Amino acid sequence: MNTSDKGFNTKLIHGGDIDDVFGSANVPIYQTSTFRFKNAQHGADCFSGKSDGYIYTRIANPTIRALEKSVADLENGFDGIATSSGMGAISSVYMALLGAGKHIISSDAVYGPARGILEQDFSRFNVEASFVNTSNPENIIKAIQPNTCVLYIETPANPTMNLTDIAACAEIAKKHNLILVVDNTFSSPYLQKPLDLGADVVLHSVTKFINGHADIVGGIIVAKDKKIYKQIRHAMVYLGCNMDPTQAYMTLRGLKTLAIRMERSQENAMKVAEFLANHPKVAWVKYPGLPSHPHHELAKKQMKGFGAVMSFGLKGGYQAGEKLMNNVHLALLAVSLGGVETLIQHPASMTHAAVSKENKLEAGITDDLVRFSVGIEDIDDIINDLKNGLDKI
Ligand code: LCS
């Protein structure tokens, strides 16, 4: 079904439909590496582009295409490119858009390896990178060089929960001829649509909210126009970080409930944030839904809701945080986020361990920062779990 004129929930349920031979209600898993050609001419036509038949799963596969088209429709983009992981999406975008002698400006607070791959790997190919606090657009303008070609932002950012004004970045990018890439993992297309705000490329770790069930790792990229889409697809296919058909099937299944999961988890998150903010042992809470968040007004402007992730610090610093993490039982002490289950972790020693101490502090990833991703369990149980953990400190 063509769902381009339908509502968000209808797109979630029917966006992945394909016209398969047996009329199955769900997209089948085409678990095949290769596809038979009708004859030699058909094979040649598939390779030359005269026919759009499938060739080989690293290049394209019907189950994966269903997910790609579905998410592209949700993000209002030209087309999508599914990848083996969120880092596969980021690497493909960097490989496609950067080159020797080029410069990229990135938010300083981004998922650790998204920064690490620029500092440790792309730097070896003479790609320059500047990491700035993109919450203040002035910092971006100051960092622009004649060779800058990409502006990469993550909003809300992992794990500081800082927001960046996407429309303001789009204006800067347009003026200075930069490609604006937005990591939309923390919001999902349900809460935020970067392409509508002027971004050129949006990407996700679908491991998080899009799949939502902590049972696969995956990524996706959606480009606004055909030229950039083709550039990134080429890089993904040549790097070989394609998604697997079963991963795509699992993601399509999780995607169907994205809106209702997000609604429930952000409703819980608001209550958790208020509970923490009023707790005597808590020093600070950063959740875009709290009026105390420095970018609360921006959150109201560019997001449809405040999401389900927050960071906080305890008055007893890291030691108190460590005690809390060891004394919660419903919240799993685990990295990742955006699933139906509540998770707690310590970014400075876990997800962002590879970022240097100096860079962590500059980006606001302090040692006391605990990250909390709120699931869809009963709110009383989540709060009681935190309450019991805090009582042990
Ligand atoms: N972008 C963001 C914002 C992320 O949080 C992550 C992973 C990625 C990209 C990379 O995606 P992946 O390759 O893992 O699918 N964030 C993680 C986290 O905070 N804990 O574990 C992984």
Side-chain angles (χ1 to χ4, degrees), residues 85-87 111 154 158 183 185 205 207-208 218 335-336 351 371:
S85 67
M87 278 312 296
Y111 175 55
E154 194 180 291
N158 185 0
D183 184 332
T185 299
S205 164
T207 318
K208 314 299 182 319
V335 297
S336 201
T351 46
R371 194 185 72 189

Side-chain angles (χ1 to χ4, degrees), residues 181-257:
V181 181
V182 181
D183 184 332
N184 202 23
T185 299
F186 270 49
S187 301
S188 86
Y190 181 59
L191 297 184
Q192 181 168 273
K193 295 216 197 301
L195 301 183
D196 288 358
L197 296 170
D200 301 292
V201 177
V202 59
L203 63 86
H204 294 268
S205 164
V206 306
T207 318
K208 314 299 182 319
F209 290 103
I210 288 188
N211 177 62
H213 292 75
D215 50 11
I216 61 108
V217 168
I220 201 155
I221 306 150
V222 177
K224 191 153 76 180
D225 75 38
K226 189 174 178 179
K227 185 170 162 250
I228 296 181
Y229 165 77
K230 285 186 108 175
Q231 250 172 287
I232 301 173
R233 179 164 285 279
H234 171 89
M236 185 284 283
V237 170
Y238 276 49
L239 277 172
C241 38
N242 59 287
M243 191 176 260
D244 180 80
T246 300
Q247 255 178 305
Y249 172 83
M250 299 284 281
T251 309
L252 279 163
R253 183 158 120 154
L255 181 65
K256 288 182 197 248
T257 54

Side-chain angles (χ1 to χ4, degrees), residues 11 14 22 82 227 247 258 300 376:
K11 287 183 188 215
H14 297 288
F22 297 112
K227 185 170 162 250
Q247 255 178 305
L258 171 65
K300 284 200 281 188
I376 64 169

